[in-house]
Amino acid sequence: MSIEEKLSAKIKERALLAVLLDPDASESDAFLETGKMAFEAGADLIFVGGSLVGNAGLPKKIAELKAFIKIPIVLFPGGASQVVPGFDAMLFTSLVSGRNPQYLIEEQLRGGLIVKALGIEAFPTAYMLINSGPATAVEYISNTKPIPADKPKLTMAHAIASELMGMRWVYLEAGSGAESPVPLEHIILTRKATKLNIIAGGGITTPQDAKARVKAGANVIVTGTIWEKNPNINLMKEFVDAIQ
Ligand code: 1GP
């Protein structure tokens, strides 16, 4: 069974918690410690990524982390240069909410060849940036406009098109450290209109935020910045419990 098949089966039972590790935002020790904490707290997945991740030390960091944990380590890349060996799987994303060809198809063109050569399992993922207040790093780096927060039907329409184009996952992103998480209506309409596995992330800072997004239809909740600010295993366990 592929990792995607296993996750899709698990998702039918309950929502999953992904802990995002940004190798650039955290010191080497923090990267490892937060990864271990996620495993011990009962998180389901580790995502690794960031807008500016350099790849030089990444395979070593992933290998170190793998020695301690038994949950999938999934690359969540900001670009083709981040596709390096060692990951169990990756989100093969296209930034469908934007109109910048570099992140719609060009990075994929370069990255796809590396993914094939390395044999990494890839989940076809429609990545959408939803406005969450002040500009986020992904908005700035990708040079794309986010979907307005009060236009959930636009998100739904992008999700429908993505599903028809063969995507199986959609990532509704408010942006790392966003002022507020993705508004619920975007998740609700996407859930009603598609069978995509819905990942929601960005600005989720409380178990209640997470739970509300699961109730709206999200299948995977991503949390990252909060653990950089407050690496508290008890709080992480509360997140795990809240989304069951
Ligand atoms: C960012 O969605 C992820 O790409 C997680 O966001 O860091 O705000 O938790 P936070």
Side-chain angles (χ1 to χ4, degrees):
M1 223 193 215
S2 68
I3 293 175
E4 185 178 5
E5 284 166 345
K6 280 186 203 157
L7 292 177
S8 298
K10 224 173 175 187
I11 276 170
K12 291 205 172 81
E13 309 293 321
R14 61 173 176 85
L16 312 180
L17 182 71
V19 170
L20 174 66
L21 305 178
D22 179 346
D24 284 343
S26 53
E27 299 298 324
S28 215
D29 284 355
F31 181 88
L32 203 56
E33 291 310 315
T34 309
K36 283 192 217 170
M37 183 172 93
F39 178 56
E40 282 162 25
D44 301 279
L45 292 163
I46 298 288
F47 281 1
V48 176
S51 299
L52 287 171
V53 176
N55 63 12
L58 201 50
K60 187 166 169 269
K61 279 186 176 179
I62 300 306
E64 281 171 0
L65 184 56
K66 250 191 177 169
F68 289 102
I69 70 171
K70 292 185 174 37
I71 51 178
I73 304 177
V74 178
L75 171 64
F76 167 36
S81 65
Q82 295 169 15
V83 184
V84 294
F87 291 100
D88 298 306
M90 70 177 290
L91 304 181
F92 198 83
T93 53
S94 176
L95 180 46
V96 298
S97 59
R99 299 296 179 268
N100 181 348
Q102 182 185 354
Y103 292 101
L104 274 168
I105 184 62
E106 286 174 16
E107 293 292 323
Q108 294 76 359
L109 185 65
R110 286 163 182 74
L113 294 171
I114 311 171
V115 172
K116 279 284 175 193
L118 294 176
I120 304 177
E121 184 185 333
F123 310 165
T125 306
Y127 186 56
M128 289 191 218
L129 186 57
I130 320 284
N131 196 317
S132 60
T136 56
V138 59
E139 178 180 343
Y140 177 79
I141 297 282
S142 68
N143 202 11
T144 65
K145 277 189 200 161
I147 293 175
D150 63 349
K151 297 280 184 284
K153 282 188 181 164
L154 279 179
T155 298
M156 180 189 79
H158 282 77
I160 289 171
S162 302
E163 187 176 47
L164 290 171
M165 289 192 290
M167 304 283 194
R168 294 190 290 271
W169 299 71
V170 60
Y171 194 134
L172 303 182
E173 171 75 277
S176 183
E179 202 172 73
S180 48
V182 168
L184 298 176
E185 201 60 18
H186 292 250
I187 301 172
I188 291 169
L189 293 190
T190 300
R191 176 76 297 144
K192 277 190 188 150
T194 75
K195 292 192 172 13
L196 294 166
N197 290 330
I198 301 177
I199 305 170
I204 296 175
T205 55
T206 66
Q208 292 74 22
D209 285 345
K211 188 174 186 165
R213 275 143 196 88
V214 169
K215 277 188 111 176
N219 304 109
V220 180
I221 297 295
V222 187
T223 51
T225 304
I226 183 174
W227 314 122
E228 286 164 21
K229 292 185 176 160
N230 179 20
N232 178 332
I233 191 164
N234 292 325
L235 179 60
M236 202 182 270
K237 284 180 181 165
E238 283 179 37
F239 271 82
V240 171
D241 292 342
I243 65 169
Q244 301 284 326

